[in-house]
Each structure stands twice: as structure tokens, then as C-alpha cells.
Amino acid sequence: MNKPVPPSEFDYGPLYAPQKKVYPQKVSGTFRNIKWALMALCLGIYYFLPFVRWDRGPGAPDQAVLVDLVNGRFYFFFIELWPQEVYIFTGLLILAALTLFLMNAIGGRMWCGYLCPQTVWTDVFFAVERLIEGDRRERIKKDAAKGITLERVVELTLKHSIWLLIAWWTGGAWVLYFNDAPTLVKELVTFQAPALAYIWIAILTATTYVLAGWMREQVCLYMCPWPRIQAALTDEWALNVTYRHDRGEQRVSLKKSVELRAAGKPAGDCVDCHQCVNVCPVGIDIRNGLQMDCIQCGLCIDACDGVMKKIGRPTRLIAYDTDINIARRQAGKTNIYKLVRPRTIAYVVMIALVGGAMLYSLATRSMLDINVLHDRNPIAVRLADGSIRNAYTVRLLNKRDDRTVALDVEGLTQATVHVVGQDTAASGRPEIVVGRDRTTELRVLVTAPASAAGSMPLTMRVTDTASGETAAAVDNFVMP
């Protein structure tokens, strides 16, 4: 029998590796341009969307996108959502997850490389750092220098000041989605805004500054669960940023490569220039294969393409590809891509179904609603003339302009309805005025004659006297 090893003798090692500062080098090319365009689009929407106006009529807020916590509303252009419509938000979360799964099935971590807020803001901070301190070599040299000069102090002060300004603007833009943006900006400048607004701005300023300015790739590697989830969701046909080792190996220097080829000996296209490593925002070597750290941003593709063009060799030594294609090329076969396959079809179908259900719900939802709650103590009362009375608490919800609704009871013959505090109309139907965007609570008494049968279902229906729109709720009428 093997001798057990006491836990004290196990060497578990560190829980995480110490951070090694990454110095991404400036690069230009197709994927860098895509990242610039998406960055401008995402930041432009985030920072300026609160100032976009949308006319909803008198008495309604005119901010296109607004989370009105005070009144319990969410406005998105022509869509107005109430807390009762939480299923819409559930549907949005499901759509977001399915879209993320579809992106992963097509192009790996495309979300991480181009659209993730951590990537976008870190990219902005990198650009500021590069603008002030210089490119990769200059930054490495300055950080390695002993002592500190006045020029270095000025550079660092300016860099961190701009970082804090960007972070502050990020936090400030966030709170604008929860109140009228121009009004809140004026209140913030004059120090008349609610204390909660300043608190949230401070929190988001601090988190943006720390996560994008200091932690950077550590957030993706240790804090974000998606790299680990993504690995379980991907398959062999998903396109990932891949070093095509079938073409790149054996890697040798450019001079040695020329000599080998002149002698008729094999030599790979990779000249071991390390440009793919130098431009990587997470500091990995893509030639070592697919790694969890890689955010699939494609900057190494641009860097490698630049080198290949300079030495007169075909581009896309690094490209979005699959290991299947590498094996096929080594076997003398052509590339094959399967963007349309059962997995992607299933995701598209689910997105269409969920999206269609949400659109149908929005298109057919009622702007008038009723909720009925039966009194439990007493549950029923027999009056002096032998008739039976049940009492209910009725809540009417009106999502449109002021309207007058009539209240009817169905399923109980010869019953009379009385709304406490309301006069009954000549028709015998109580009519109630419900204000715009209001929930009105009523005390309703339903009386049945003594000859009524036993307990039975009862339907209360409200009808807009002008448009005819109705809403109904079912409860029970109980005999004592």
C-alpha cells in the first residue's frame, strides 16, 4: 500500500501568476481599423445616447433611452416597458446569451476582441498611453530607467489625468440614463444633483480607471468567466486566430531562410520577428497555439501581414482558421469552412423564436390591465334582505393617456356592482377615470341575490368607453 502524503507536504503553487506588464506596440491594418471603427461606434452610442430626444407627447419624458426608476418605467425610443413586463427583459437576456453563443460558434471570442467594454476602454487607455509616452520601445525604456525626471513626472501625471477624465466621463454618462440628461448635467455642474448620482459616478470612475488602466488583461484572465465557458461551447469548426504552422515552420531568421531556400532546402515563412507578440494586448505568442488568454482581436494578423508584405511573402500566415484546415493543407487538400452547420442553425432558430415571441408580445400587449384580489376576512357577507356580498380590491393599470373605463361583472346573473366612493352611471355600470401611466386601486362590492347558486367563478372586465379596449381578471364569488 502506498504511504499517504500529508496535506502539509503538497506544493499547490500560487493561485495566479504575478502580472507582467504588457507593452502593446502600435499596429495598422484591417483588424486594427475594424477595432477603431467599432470603438468609435460603441463609445459614441454610450456617451451621447442619453442626449437623443424622442417625442412621446405631453406629460411624458422626451429622452429616447431612459430608465425611470421613480415611476417604474423603461423607455427605449417608441417602446415603453413597465415592471409588470419583466418577461421582456428576460427575453433580452436570453437573446444576448444566444447571440454570444452564435458569435462564439462562428468566430471564437469575437465579442472579447471587438465589443467587450473591458476591451474597448482598455484600448482607449492604451491609445492615450502610447500618445503620451511613446510606442513600445520608448515605454519599456522609460519604465526600466533608474530614477525619475521632471519630464517623466509630467508624462505620468498627464496620462493618469486623462485616464481619470475618461473614467469620470464613463461614470457620468452612466447616471444620465437614469434621469433627464440635460437637467442632470446642469445639476451635477452646480452641485445640486442627488448624492446618489455623485456616489455612482465615483464608483464607476474608480472601477473604469482600475480595470482599464491597471488590471487590463488580468480582468479577462482571472475575473471574467467567459474564457472558460467559451472553451466548453466551441467546436472544431469555429474560426479562431490561428498561426498556420503548416506554412510557418520551420521558423528561421530572414537571412537564414533566404540561404536555405537558395540551397533548395525547406524553410518556413515565419522569420521569428516577434511582431505578433509585440502587438498582442495580452502579451501571448499565438504561435504556441490557441490559449485561454487570447481575446481573438486579430492585431497579430495585421502585424504579421505587414512583415510578410515587406519580405515579399503571402499574407495571412496568421489568420482566422481552424486546425482542420491546417491538417487538410498538410494532406494536400483544399480548405473547407462550415459557418452554416447544426450548431449555428440551432442558435439562429432560437434567436428567431425568442425575438419573434418578444415582438409578438410587444405588438399585442394590452395598454389596460386589471388585477383582482378577493377579501379574506370576511370572505362573504349575507345582508338583511338575504342577498350575498363579496368585497374585492381591484387595481387598474393604464399605460396610455387619461381614459374612462366601465367595470362589468360576468358569470354571475343579476349581480350588482358598486365601487366605493364612485357614483354608478345611468347604465348601471360603474365608470372610473384612470390617469395616464397610473395604477388606480378600487374597493369593489359585488352583490348577488339570495336565489344565487353556490360559489362560482367571476370575471371582472374593464372596457375603455371610447376605444373599446378591454382587460379582464378572474376570481371567485363565494357563498357564506
Side-chain angles (χ1 to χ4, degrees), residues 366-369 396-406 431-437 462-471:
S366 173
M367 295 292 104
L368 181 65
D369 199 10
L396 303 179
L397 176 62
N398 175 29
K399 301 177 183 178
R400 285 184 176 165
D401 295 333
D402 296 353
R403 65 168 102 194
T404 301
V405 297
E431 293 187 353
I432 306 99
V433 176
V434 186
R436 174 190 173 92
D437 290 346
V462 286
T463 305
D464 189 321
T465 57
S467 67
E469 183 179 3
T470 68

Side-chain angles (χ1 to χ4, degrees), residues 19 39 45 108 110 118 122 139 167 170 173 180 197 213 237 240 257 334 356 390 409:
Q19 182 180 14
M39 179 197 300
I45 292 174
M110 286 194 300
Q118 172 66 17
T122 300
R139 297 199 306 278
T170 301
D180 182 66
W237 293 106
N240 291 289
S257 173
T334 59
N390 283 203
V409 172

Side-chain angles (χ1 to χ4, degrees), residues 300-337:
C300 53
I301 301 177
D302 287 338
C304 187
D305 283 355
V307 174
M308 292 297 106
K309 289 177 183 177
K310 289 180 180 178
I311 63 177
R313 295 181 184 175
T315 58
R316 293 298 190 266
L317 175 59
I318 301 175
Y320 277 94
D321 205 352
T322 65
D323 288 338
I324 292 176
N325 281 334
I326 292 178
R328 288 180 63 86
R329 287 193 296 271
Q330 289 176 327
K333 300 178 181 179
T334 59
N335 292 335
I336 183 171
Y337 299 97

Side-chain angles (χ1 to χ4, degrees), residues 371-440:
N371 180 269
V372 178
L373 181 65
H374 196 292
D375 279 7
R376 299 303 177 193
N377 190 21
I379 196 167
V381 175
R382 186 176 294 276
L383 304 181
D385 62 355
S387 58
I388 299 98
R389 173 177 291 171
N390 283 203
Y392 304 86
T393 298
V394 177
R395 291 186 178 88
L396 303 179
L397 176 62
N398 175 29
K399 301 177 183 178
R400 285 184 176 165
D401 295 333
D402 296 353
R403 65 168 102 194
T404 301
V405 297
L407 179 64
D408 297 295
V409 172
E410 301 172 357
L412 188 63
T413 57
Q414 298 182 338
T416 59
V417 184
H418 175 66
V419 178
V420 177
Q422 298 277 351
D423 294 329
T424 303
S427 63
R429 307 163 71 196
E431 293 187 353
I432 306 99
V433 176
V434 186
R436 174 190 173 92
D437 290 346
R438 294 290 179 86
T439 299
T440 302

